[in-house]
Amino acid sequence: MRDRLYTTEALIIRRSDVGEADRILTIYTPQYGKLSVTARGVRKMTSKLAGHLELFIHTRLQLAKGRSFDVVTESRVVQPFRSLREDLSRISQGYYVAELLDQMTVDESDNPALFRLTCETLAALDVLDEVVRRDVILRYYELHTLILSGYRPHLFHCANCERELSPEADRYSPITGGVLCQQCSSSEPRTLPINLNTFKFLRYLARMPLETVASLAPAPATVHEARAVLKASLSQVLERELKSTQFLNLVRG
Ligand SMILES: [Zn+2]
């Protein structure tokens, strides 16, 4: 339960204008998960909150319980992530991270590790200049978002028979949830190719902390293939989530 007045760290992941000067913010917090909150009068020039509630900002908020939405009463910026709002490539990457987080989470379900991962990811995107390095960070974010949401892709043991994988394994099954051994892949037609470099790259991402990964510069083809398999896994998970929500609504309706 939240007190009438409470403080929390937050990442601002979505905003929409309402009324004359207000905004509804979607925020992601370590202990309350995802919340929608109101920032009153924030679009007025005179608002003391303006500039402290920009997209992708890592902030410490004070909130007051409201009838429908809680209301932001104070915001103190922890990390501004300024360059995420300055150049187009970073803006699109920031949006991608925010959208993925939004899609992979439901309201008021806490996941402090996912909050930390997202902070570290935005911080890395904010400072890394080379595009390929930022792409590696995005792959890291995709993989670890899957892991922290309970959908760890099988990269060390076959997703089907659980036998230890050898370097010859070269098929990835988003439906089964990871790499398949050669025996299992021959009977599963719905797979994607994964070559040895991509396979090793993903294993490395799975084991290493983000700051280690930030210094990697793999071949673009490897990052590209990693993107394809991770994207397939994310779609698989999101489709399932979406179906379960649709089903819930159907039952409720
Ligand atoms: Zn197998």
Side-chain angles (χ1 to χ4, degrees), residues 150-220:
Y151 299 99
R152 179 185 286 275
H154 285 73
L155 298 170
F156 299 91
H157 295 88
C158 171
N160 186 49
C161 73
E162 296 186 356
R163 196 174 307 157
E164 196 174 344
L165 290 165
S166 68
E168 284 76 45
D170 61 357
R171 304 301 298 182
Y172 186 93
S173 164
I175 295 164
T176 324
V179 180
L180 297 177
C181 71
Q182 284 188 303
Q183 214 166 338
C184 292
S185 64
S186 58
S187 54
E188 171 56 70
R190 295 161 299 176
T191 59
L192 297 167
I194 180 164
N195 80 30
L196 187 56
N197 286 339
T198 311
F199 187 25
K200 282 183 180 164
F201 173 61
L202 288 176
R203 283 178 173 223
Y204 190 79
L205 294 193
R207 280 174 162 160
M208 291 295 157
L210 186 136
E211 62 267 27
T212 311
V213 164
S215 60
L216 280 183

Side-chain angles (χ1 to χ4, degrees), residues 104 111 113-114 117 121 137-153 202-210 213 230 234:
M104 290 290 286
N111 190 338
L114 185 55
L117 170 70
T121 300
I137 297 299
L138 291 181
R139 304 296 80 82
Y140 187 90
Y141 187 69
E142 291 165 337
L143 177 59
H144 285 271
T145 297
L146 282 166
I147 292 172
L148 293 174
S149 307
Y151 299 99
R152 179 185 286 275
L202 288 176
R203 283 178 173 223
Y204 190 79
L205 294 193
R207 280 174 162 160
M208 291 295 157
L210 186 136
V213 164
L230 291 169
L234 287 165

Side-chain angles (χ1 to χ4, degrees), residues 28-49:
Y28 195 72
T29 70
Q31 66 272 54
Y32 312 112
K34 187 167 70 178
L35 299 173
S36 292
V37 299
T38 309
R40 291 199 183 127
V42 71
R43 283 149 58 214
K44 284 185 192 150
M45 295 285 276
T46 50
S47 169
K48 64 177 168 58
L49 287 174

Side-chain angles (χ1 to χ4, degrees), residues 102-113:
D102 195 7
Q103 288 179 345
M104 290 290 286
T105 52
V106 292
D107 285 357
E108 304 199 27
S109 170
D110 69 308
N111 190 338

Side-chain angles (χ1 to χ4, degrees), residues 60-93:
R60 175 165 281 280
L61 297 179
Q62 187 185 62
L63 293 138
K65 286 280 257 181
R67 262 174 305 170
S68 45
F69 295 116
D70 294 353
V71 181
V72 179
T73 52
E74 211 179 283
S75 173
R76 280 172 43 208
V77 176
V78 180
Q79 297 178 90
F81 301 141
R82 221 163 262 123
S83 38
L84 284 185
R85 291 179 302 280
E86 280 168 0
D87 83 83
L88 206 57
S89 153
R90 283 192 175 87
I91 291 170
S92 63
Q93 291 175 326

